[in-house]
Amino acid sequence: MVRKYPCPCCGFYTYKVPSNEDCGFICPVCFWENDIFITSGDDPSCSNGGITLNKARENYSVFGACTRDMVKYVRPPEKEESG
């Protein structure tokens, strides 16, 4: 079994490498595009249209995607992605 790592936005184990090593990976569960250049949850992410990671987390908890317009692209987490 391949080891997986948690998405910094939704927390599901969808990353194949730690998030600090994978620039540009898009989580299929929340559609957050990994941005290794932000240093805190309050930094705007250029990869995600300027939204902060904290706002993306809030959005995921409210409507299931990092931003409302990404809802159509997400999928439910798979059983093994729950950690």
Side-chain angles (χ1 to χ4, degrees):
M1 180 179 212
V2 175
R3 182 171 181 188
K4 298 256 182 139
Y5 299 86
C7 170
C9 180
C10 67
F12 288 101
Y13 286 73
T14 59
Y15 282 57
K16 294 178 181 169
V17 298
S19 61
N20 64 340
E21 296 177 12
D22 192 352
C23 187
F25 176 78
I26 298 174
C27 176
V29 174
C30 67
F31 226 71
W32 174 258
E33 183 174 348
N34 195 47
D35 186 345
I36 62 172
F37 301 106
I38 59 173
T39 58
S40 80
D42 294 319
D43 288 344
S45 169
C46 292
S47 299
N48 293 282
I51 192 171
T52 68
L53 180 55
N54 287 336
K55 182 62 178 172
R57 289 174 178 154
E58 179 184 322
N59 289 346
Y60 180 75
S61 70
V62 172
F63 46 80
C66 64
T67 61
R68 188 177 300 278
D69 58 329
M70 295 299 149
V71 170
K72 60 188 169 194
Y73 300 111
V74 301
R75 64 160 173 78
E78 295 174 359
K79 184 179 175 183
E80 66 274 1
E81 293 171 338
S82 293

